[in-house]
Amino acid sequence: MKFLDHLEEWLIATLMAAATLITFFAVVHRYGSGISLLQPLLGDIHMSWAQELTIYLFVWMAKFGAAYGVRTGIHVGVDVLINKLSDNNRAKFIVIGLLAGALFTGIVGSLGAAFVWEIAHTEQTSVDLEIPMWLVYLAVPCGSYLMCFRFLQVMVGFIKTGELPKHDHTHVEGMDDVAEDSNWYALDDNLHPHDISHKGGKQ
């Protein structure tokens, strides 16, 4: 799992960095081409493909980013009613919710895979890059299946330990002024379901 976790994070970071750099150079090229001094240098460089590639990179990043969000507990949901239930009933609803997420993303991944299979047997290519469109749409089954796996992973972990992944939005890297025993899982924000293993208020 560590390898998959790191691969997921590096893939997202690489896609984001690539899209940012391509967009930056495309903007510099566009405005630099209007400067007479730079015209001889930039005039023969064509970057009409930059916008299309950036869109595709962000699509892939979003699909894998959604799976990362499930693993780390970043996704926000309104769980006012669930958090008012007893531990036993709340646990049941959490498992049902995670199973529903796995089922939905599994269905989307399967439909996406069928679509990719069909379009792979055509000669459809992208407008500017002229790459096969099935490579672009491959993001749907890959990202959806990974997200489905993450839902199941979180569910198994919750059944075993009673814990849900939580993301501390107040954490600042390098700041050590918060006690190590602070119970961030007890934050009463009703934006995430309260798990079972962490009790009591914030220390």
Side-chain angles (χ1 to χ4, degrees), residues 6-161:
H6 290 309
L7 178 63
E8 183 181 62
E9 293 166 1
W10 276 102
L11 183 60
I12 294 170
T14 301
L15 291 170
M16 185 182 298
T20 303
L21 288 174
I22 291 171
T23 302
F24 172 76
F25 285 117
V27 172
V28 170
H29 175 266
R30 180 183 305 169
Y31 287 97
S33 298
I35 301 175
S36 57
L37 184 62
L38 299 177
Q39 178 65 34
L41 297 175
L42 302 177
D44 294 332
I45 300 176
H46 301 285
M47 296 196 67
S48 57
W49 49 268
Q51 182 177 1
E52 184 178 275
L53 179 57
T54 301
I55 292 173
Y56 295 157
L57 290 174
F58 272 110
V59 168
W60 276 82
M61 181 190 66
K63 292 300 296 182
F64 284 96
Y68 172 82
V70 174
R71 175 169 66 89
T72 57
I74 291 177
H75 290 294
V76 174
V78 180
D79 298 296
V80 178
L81 296 179
I82 291 179
N83 288 337
K84 292 184 179 296
L85 298 175
S86 63
D87 286 354
N88 188 39
N89 290 328
R90 185 165 68 252
K92 293 178 181 178
F93 275 98
I94 290 174
V95 171
I96 291 173
L98 292 171
L99 279 174
L103 177 62
F104 175 76
T105 50
I107 292 174
V108 172
S110 298
L111 293 175
F115 179 74
V116 169
W117 177 260
E118 291 180 5
I119 202 170
H121 290 81
T122 68
E123 297 181 357
Q124 184 176 350
T125 59
S126 62
V127 177
D128 294 320
L129 294 172
E130 297 184 352
I131 61 174
M133 284 303 297
W134 68 268
L135 287 174
V136 178
Y137 291 119
L138 192 62
V140 176
C142 290
S144 297
Y145 281 139
L146 180 59
M147 198 172 180
C148 178
F149 171 76
R150 292 304 189 187
F151 272 118
L152 295 174
Q153 182 184 30
V154 171
M155 184 192 69
V156 171
F158 175 73
I159 292 174
K160 289 182 177 180
T161 65

